[in-house]
Amino acid sequence: MGEIVLNEQCLQLMAQFEAITGAGSRDCIVDERNERLIFVINPGEMGRAIGKQGSSIKKASDEMGMRIEVVEFSDDAEQFLRNCFLPARVLTVSIDENEEGELVALIDVAEEDRGIAIGKAGKNIFKAKRLAERQHDISDVQLVQDDYE
């Protein structure tokens, strides 16, 4: 599994986020393209990270000057991918090796949640790909196309 290297900026952001919300995180991605910070929150600390009616995450977002998204970590790659796509309803997750021996995840989401899963300009699928690679050494994440309409 690839070692996650956190640069000074990410370490500072994680410390700041924890100081504001009380929730610990294990990874941080500064997504300049979509003007957001993505934190991978320690298991069981999602409620603390978000706060009552979103108060903690809003405060952190205001103080840190960027939109913040949080994903709860799971040792189970399948569960972690489900968490990446919330609030979209993930029906199935299958992780297989491709010809190059790399792990590829195929995600099937409820048809009405496809837009949520992809996100504006593909930002949610981008988030899932980056995090799956960093946390579980999965080289690609793809949404399954349903052709039986």
Side-chain angles (χ1 to χ4, degrees), residues 3-4 19 23 34-35 41-42 48 51 55 65 90-91 97 100 102 104 111 114-115 119 122 130-131 146:
E3 211 29 55
I4 297 172
N34 295 298
E35 298 174 1
I41 304 299
N42 293 332
R48 194 177 294 154
S55 60
V90 175
L91 305 175
E97 274 190 21
E100 292 84 47
E102 298 170 326
V104 176
E111 187 57 42
R114 276 188 79 75
R130 288 284 304 275
L131 292 178
D146 287 331

Side-chain angles (χ1 to χ4, degrees), residues 93-125:
V93 175
S94 62
I95 300 169
D96 294 303
E97 274 190 21
N98 63 13
E99 297 79 45
E100 292 84 47
E102 298 170 326
L103 293 176
V104 176
L106 292 175
I107 314 291
D108 191 11
V109 296
E111 187 57 42
E112 58 273 22
D113 289 350
R114 276 188 79 75
I116 297 168
I118 295 167
K120 192 172 170 188
K123 71 184 179 75
N124 292 343
I125 193 95

Side-chain angles (χ1 to χ4, degrees), residues 10 25 62 83 123:
C10 281
S25 57
D62 290 346
N83 294 348
K123 71 184 179 75

Side-chain angles (χ1 to χ4, degrees), residues 76-85 90 92-99 101-109 114 124-125 127-145:
D76 176 23
E78 188 178 311
Q79 183 59 51
F80 182 70
L81 283 161
R82 288 176 184 276
N83 294 348
C84 284
F85 283 102
V90 175
T92 61
V93 175
S94 62
I95 300 169
D96 294 303
E97 274 190 21
N98 63 13
E99 297 79 45
E102 298 170 326
L103 293 176
V104 176
L106 292 175
I107 314 291
D108 191 11
V109 296
R114 276 188 79 75
N124 292 343
I125 193 95
K127 170 176 73 176
K129 284 181 184 196
R130 288 284 304 275
L131 292 178
E133 186 176 19
R134 290 170 66 94
Q135 298 294 330
H136 288 287
D137 222 9
I138 295 170
S139 62
D140 196 15
V141 176
Q142 300 167 1
L143 288 182
V144 175
Q145 276 304 140

